[in-house]
Amino acid sequence: MARIIPALLLALTLALSAAQETPEPVYGGQAVVAITAEPPGWDPTVSTSQEIARVMYHNVYEGLVRIDSEGQIVPALAESWEVSEDGLSLSFTLREGVLFHDGSEFGADDVVAKFERAMDPDSGHTHPEYYEAIDEVTADGNRVVFRLSRPSSALLYNLARPDSIIYPAGTSESQRSNPIGTGPFRFVEWVPGSEVRLERFDDYYIDGVPYLDAVTFRIIGDPNARFAALQAGDIDMIGVALSPESALLAEADPNLKVTQGANTTEITMALNNTREPLNDPLVRQAITHAIDKEAIVEGANFGFGTVIGTHATPVEPYWIEVEPYPYDPERARDLLEQAGFEEGELTLSFELPEPYNIERTAGQVIAQQLTEAGIDVEVSIVEWGTWLERIFLGGDYDMTIIGHSEPRDINVYGNPDYYYHYDNPEVRELLEQAELATSQEEAMEHYREIARIIAEDAVNVWTFNPAYLVAAQRDLYGYWENQPTVAIDMTEAFVAR
Amino acid sequence: MLSYLVRRLASALSSIFLAAVLVFAALLAIPGDPAEIILGLNASPEAAAALRHQLGLDVPPVPRFISWIGGVVKGDFGDSLNYRRPVSQLLVGRLQVSVPLALAAMLIACLIALPLGILAALRQGSWLDPLIVSFAQIGAAIPSFWLGLMLILLFSVELGWLPAGGYTPWERSPAGALRSLILPAIALGLGQAAVITRMTRASMLEVLRLDYVRTASAKGLPRRRVILVHTLRNALVTIVTIIGLSMAQLLVGAIVIEQVFSLPGLGRLALTAIGARDYPLLQAEVLLYATAIVGLSFMVDVLYGLLDPRIRYS
């Protein structure tokens, strides 16, 4: 079953991307890649800002394992790993002869130092809870052993996250301004607010890569300016937040090319499951029936995307196709009547997060559809800090909409305090079983069951998975066309002029 | 004169202090927690609490304000919560972009506006005047971000003469830095030119109507001298005020242009600071703006006296 995912991904990529022969890789040259906002420093273990991981992960920093372009967990600094039969120990054989960018040698002590810091809640490390199951990390030559207090199927994936990068022991304080990793590129120059420049690391442990001499990530906040810079040839690639309008323009430009890949974003219309009348499943079902997801993909994203029916996208290993409440406005009206609401009697607030374009547009399409189904919707647009505090943390809302881009995040449905306020003991039980599972496949089967249950319960309305769009100069090749992780990995990118 | 300057300075300082108090209070009132924003959507409450403690956000507001303002007096603006670096370091880097940009925009604005405004006033009643006036009207109505994008499309995408945005630091290449500031300075300057043209024209017309101008002409002074010395000098009092205020506006209000041209200026930094609820950074920016505005209006006042001896500082 696990093999189906890469095959599916490949099929998706082939079907969607502009058919183009990739030439033989060429060495030399450089590429300029646009990002949208300035990373607040460079260490992904002190801030969860996605901009940091986008630039630094896979390019400058690496962990024991990593996510490849097909979404699989593959070796990185660890050559191989073993899980003990009882699931209580995880041992890694480290790659030998790996150098950090400062010339020092990578070794087991760096790994131990990293995870001792990561597990310490007072160290300021981003997600100590990722490593909760670990009791102790010990080193023995080039082997590192994680002893666990309980089996943890999520741990290996957590070790592939940007949070789990490894840098030289004792350098955690200086990493945010002077990053030193083991990746194919080393950090050279940062012009605050403007750009960051990486250069080829000649001692990279994988022979033959990277191809480029340098990669510059330039910060361009305005989407129109970003596209103009691409058209002017100032930049080579827009690999994040390419608007669908720009994608259409790029497709028409003979100097540019566009690829559509897969990612893990679910544009989710969240419902406050404990607030009246949304605590009534009939009302939630009615809302789901009232929404035409195909129209949202067209209206909000020019058709670039896949309709989804639960909290998973086709690249998640637990993806299932479900749609228990398909678009049916008549049925929506009936259900509302059953729930005791006459036409026009139900008014709900719908709050759209200001910084996110696709979500705002999708929200407006949805509001229109709900109105047609006899629900009055009060739409308001909410500034980001306020959204986080009042809606996300405070849970004070009826309906909102946001893209959940985190991979493997179906576990949030087991947390009744999460802003959906969804409380289902069955889901919690399944999550626990999934975490204690000793095989990935067993864990994924539990996740699939959860995906089915939350869809039946109409917890939220999962609208669509927007395509990962990249626009690039015709002569740039080898970049990732899918986005199974946030990194813009340039290891195999090259320019063939 | 001296006592005037002292009084003026005292009122300027109290305005700046008031701004400091207001921004501090305003930031307490708006929702949003820096620690939560830094840690993102999947932060655990424990991690957020630990970070809040690390950043000193668990200190009550009054002692926090006192320690902050105490630092400011000594020239220490604290560390940015988001970037975890000294605020002063961040600001100095941004000033290197914002100040040259504002100066260049003002230079462009004056080079266009002063001749046009004077010309329009002198040719009142001819075809030239309404042409210039409507030109200024259009200039004031065009949004700067649109103008910026049009400039990018023409000079970068079509002609390929100038970069479509981005910034080369002065220390790396002064020529590169200049090149990256040309288009944004034009986009910013044209809007200001429109305002200054209209003010120059109005101010000139007002002075031209005065008796002493007629007397000067009647006495047979050359027209050039009447206009440049007698009229312009007096009209300049109003024009200087407008330029001073515009300068402050250019420093503060370049946010949109900085965004369009991806320039790492003060405005864009402020925008990031608001989004991240980066209190120390935002407080320092507001103080800087307040100081710039107060300082410029102070300079305008002093210039008044030099331009018009009738204004006495008493």
Side-chain angles (χ1 to χ4, degrees):
Chain A
M1 186 66 188
R3 302 305 311 163
I4 291 178
I5 307 305
L8 191 86
L9 252 169
L10 193 68
L12 208 67
T13 313
L14 287 181
L16 295 177
S17 53
Q20 193 191 14
E21 288 283 306
T22 303
E24 279 296 299
V26 178
Y27 284 93
Q30 64 157 322
V32 183
V33 179
I35 54 173
T36 56
E38 174 159 56
W42 303 108
D43 184 352
T45 74
V46 296
S47 165
T48 56
S49 159
Q50 295 218 325
E51 303 297 334
I52 299 178
R54 205 160 265 150
V55 174
M56 303 305 284
Y57 192 45
H58 292 193
N59 289 320
V60 173
Y61 287 125
E62 295 171 304
L64 292 171
V65 288
R66 67 186 193 103
I67 304 295
D68 72 3
S69 60
E70 291 176 347
Q72 297 293 298
I73 299 175
V74 295
L77 291 176
E79 231 164 37
S80 62
W81 62 89
E82 263 166 51
V83 186
S84 68
E85 217 151 276
D86 58 3
L88 290 177
S89 101
L90 186 56
S91 54
F92 291 90
T93 307
L94 304 185
R95 206 183 280 270
E96 292 190 59
V98 173
L99 292 181
F100 285 112
H101 299 152
D102 64 354
S104 63
E105 199 166 327
F106 158 78
D109 52 328
D110 301 309
V111 182
V112 174
K114 194 257 140 64
F115 289 102
E116 279 177 351
R117 185 173 146 261
M119 286 149 60
D120 172 7
D122 294 327
S123 67
H125 196 283
T126 38
H127 284 292
E129 75 281 7
Y130 285 168
Y131 316 101
E132 236 165 33
I134 306 174
D135 256 351
E136 189 193 18
V137 185
T138 53
D140 173 20
N142 72 333
R143 277 169 62 83
V144 172
V145 180
F146 290 71
R147 283 187 207 296
L148 312 185
S149 55
R150 55 171 169 82
S152 170
S153 69
L155 181 60
L156 191 66
Y157 186 80
N158 289 341
L159 294 178
R161 290 182 192 264
D163 308 74
S164 300
I165 55 147
I166 290 163
Y167 38 63
T171 61
S172 65
E173 279 307 307
S174 60
Q175 290 290 336
R176 70 176 66 118
S177 54
N178 180 29
I180 292 166
T182 52
F185 295 96
R186 63 192 174 85
F187 177 91
V188 183
E189 192 192 11
W190 172 31
V191 182
S194 185
E195 61 182 39
V196 55
R197 186 176 164 85
L198 312 179
E199 278 176 12
R200 180 177 211 275
F201 178 47
D202 291 328
D203 294 321
Y204 188 51
Y205 59 82
I206 298 178
D207 284 336
V209 288
Y211 299 112
L212 293 168
D213 287 339
V215 179
T216 301
F217 288 89
R218 186 168 294 165
I219 304 151
I220 310 179
D222 183 84
N224 295 314
R226 205 150 53 222
F227 190 65
L230 185 72
Q231 282 186 307
D234 284 8
I235 60 172
D236 297 292
M237 171 179 169
I238 300 178
V240 52
L242 178 72
S243 70
E245 299 92 315
S246 297
L248 292 176
L249 285 175
E251 270 176 353
D253 188 325
N255 297 319
L256 304 176
K257 60 182 170 185
V258 177
T259 53
Q260 277 193 68
N263 63 15
T264 57
T265 302
E266 300 95 7
I267 305 279
T268 305
M269 175 190 180
L271 308 175
N272 194 340
N273 276 244
T274 49
R275 187 180 273 194
E276 282 195 16
L278 293 166
N279 56 352
D280 183 347
L282 290 178
V283 174
R284 297 200 303 268
Q285 289 166 11
I287 288 173
T288 313
H289 273 310
I291 291 172
D292 179 359
K293 298 175 181 179
E294 294 289 351
I296 300 172
V297 181
E298 281 305 321
N301 219 32
F302 290 80
F304 294 109
T306 315
V307 165
I308 54 174
T310 185
H311 198 97
T313 72
V315 287
E316 296 282 12
Y318 49 83
W319 156 253
I320 49 165
E321 213 163 334
V322 284
E323 196 66 86
Y325 309 104
Y327 177 54
D328 185 349
E330 277 312 304
R331 179 99 187 101
R333 282 169 188 276
D334 289 351
L335 285 169
L336 278 180
E337 218 164 285
Q338 280 181 43
F341 290 99
E342 291 300 320
E343 170 98 41
E345 266 186 2
L346 176 57
T347 304
L348 295 167
S349 72
F350 189 19
E351 315 202 44
L352 317 180
E354 187 276 326
Y356 298 104
N357 233 330
I358 297 180
E359 282 85 339
R360 273 198 337 262
T361 325
Q364 277 145 7
V365 176
I366 290 173
Q368 178 67 32
Q369 293 174 352
L370 291 180
T371 309
E372 280 161 19
I375 301 172
D376 279 336
V377 183
E378 284 169 6
V379 176
S380 54
I381 290 177
V382 185
E383 183 265 349
W384 186 236
T386 312
W387 190 91
L388 276 178
E389 172 135 338
R390 187 168 62 78
I391 295 175
F392 184 72
L393 294 166
D396 175 19
Y397 74 104
D398 290 342
M399 309 190 291
T400 187
I401 183 166
I402 193 81
H404 282 267
S405 58
E406 271 279 295
R408 305 204 187 184
D409 57 351
I410 200 163
N411 58 330
V412 296
Y413 290 87
N415 175 5
D417 295 330
Y418 204 64
Y419 73 118
Y420 312 142
H421 297 153
Y422 172 65
D423 189 2
N424 184 342
E426 196 188 353
V427 168
R428 285 210 297 277
E429 171 65 30
L430 282 166
L431 273 175
E432 214 161 291
Q433 287 174 19
E435 176 64 359
L436 295 175
T438 43
S439 84
Q440 288 290 314
E441 188 38 44
E442 190 191 334
M444 292 313 134
E445 200 39 67
H446 293 311
Y447 281 160
R448 268 174 225 124
E449 189 53 34
I450 295 169
R452 232 169 261 132
I453 294 172
I454 58 174
E456 285 289 337
D457 281 352
V459 177
N460 293 321
V461 185
W462 302 275
T463 60
F464 72 107
N465 164 227
Y468 173 56
L469 297 172
V470 175
Q473 303 292 346
R474 272 255 158 236
D475 53 9
L476 183 71
Y477 300 90
Y479 52 84
W480 288 23
E481 295 182 9
N482 296 311
Q483 199 189 31
T485 167
V486 293
I488 301 183
D489 187 331
M490 298 299 281
T491 312
E492 295 181 6
F494 63 92
V495 177
R497 291 216 156 98
Chain B
M1 178 79 184
L2 189 69
S3 78
Y4 169 82
L5 281 181
V6 170
R7 260 187 301 124
R8 195 66 185 69
L9 206 65
S11 97
L13 286 177
S14 54
S15 306
I16 295 172
F17 181 76
L18 195 67
V21 175
L22 284 178
V23 66
F24 195 91
L27 287 178
L28 287 177
I30 58 170
D33 172 26
E36 301 283 2
I37 294 174
I38 290 169
L39 289 177
L41 290 192
N42 294 293
S44 67
E46 295 78 26
L51 184 61
R52 223 169 275 133
H53 178 71
Q54 246 186 24
L55 298 175
L57 293 169
D58 48 358
V59 177
V62 174
R64 206 161 83 206
F65 179 76
I66 292 172
S67 89
W68 171 64
I69 204 86
V72 168
V73 172
K74 281 180 261 161
D76 174 13
F77 291 89
D79 282 358
S80 150
L81 303 180
N82 191 32
Y83 297 96
R84 320 266 181 105
R85 293 198 301 139
V87 165
S88 46
Q89 216 182 70
L90 288 165
L91 290 183
V92 167
R94 302 305 171 108
L95 280 168
Q96 288 175 14
V97 178
S98 287
V99 172
L101 176 63
L103 286 175
M106 185 46 76
L107 186 72
I108 291 169
C110 288
L111 285 179
I112 297 171
L114 294 181
L116 280 186
I118 294 170
L119 202 64
L122 295 179
R123 295 285 150 81
Q124 201 195 12
S126 83
W127 58 273
L128 203 59
D129 180 34
L131 188 74
I132 293 175
V133 170
S134 41
F135 178 75
Q137 223 120 34
I138 294 169
I142 290 177
S144 61
F145 71 88
W146 183 84
L147 188 62
L149 280 173
M150 291 304 118
L151 290 173
I152 292 177
L153 285 181
L154 178 61
F155 291 103
S156 311
V157 178
E158 284 303 318
L159 300 171
W161 291 351
L162 290 163
Y167 166 71
T168 313
W170 292 94
E171 57 269 26
R172 197 197 290 166
S173 155
L178 269 182
R179 275 166 59 83
S180 53
L181 290 180
I182 293 175
L183 291 184
I186 294 174
L188 206 52
L190 284 183
Q192 293 298 327
V195 179
I196 300 173
T197 306
R198 273 162 43 192
M199 290 309 296
T200 307
R201 176 181 172 274
S203 175
M204 282 293 286
L205 282 178
E206 202 172 302
V207 180
L208 279 171
R209 254 181 245 124
L210 295 178
D211 288 345
Y212 73 84
V213 175
R214 202 168 342 120
T215 312
S217 299
K219 273 165 57 187
L221 279 181
R223 187 167 163 74
R224 237 180 113 99
R225 201 173 148 76
V226 174
I227 289 161
L228 285 181
V229 178
H230 294 262
T231 314
L232 188 57
R233 179 159 171 175
N234 288 294
L236 271 179
V237 176
T238 322
I239 298 168
V240 161
T241 315
I242 291 300
I243 292 178
L245 291 176
S246 301
M247 192 64 203
Q249 209 180 342
L250 283 177
L251 263 179
V252 177
I255 297 179
V256 173
I257 282 299
E258 286 171 8
Q259 186 73 2
V260 170
F261 286 93
S262 328
L263 289 175
L266 286 175
R268 232 163 123 226
L269 189 66
L271 218 57
T272 320
I274 294 169
R277 298 291 188 269
D278 194 337
Y279 301 147
L281 184 54
L282 205 51
Q283 285 159 201
E285 285 240 6
V286 171
L287 271 195
L288 190 73
Y289 288 161
T291 313
I293 291 169
V294 168
L296 279 164
S297 81
F298 183 75
M299 272 161 59
V300 166
D301 281 357
V302 175
L303 268 177
Y304 268 180
L306 299 177
L307 285 167
D308 187 349
R310 286 173 305 176
I311 298 171
R312 289 281 163 253
Y313 299 102
S314 52

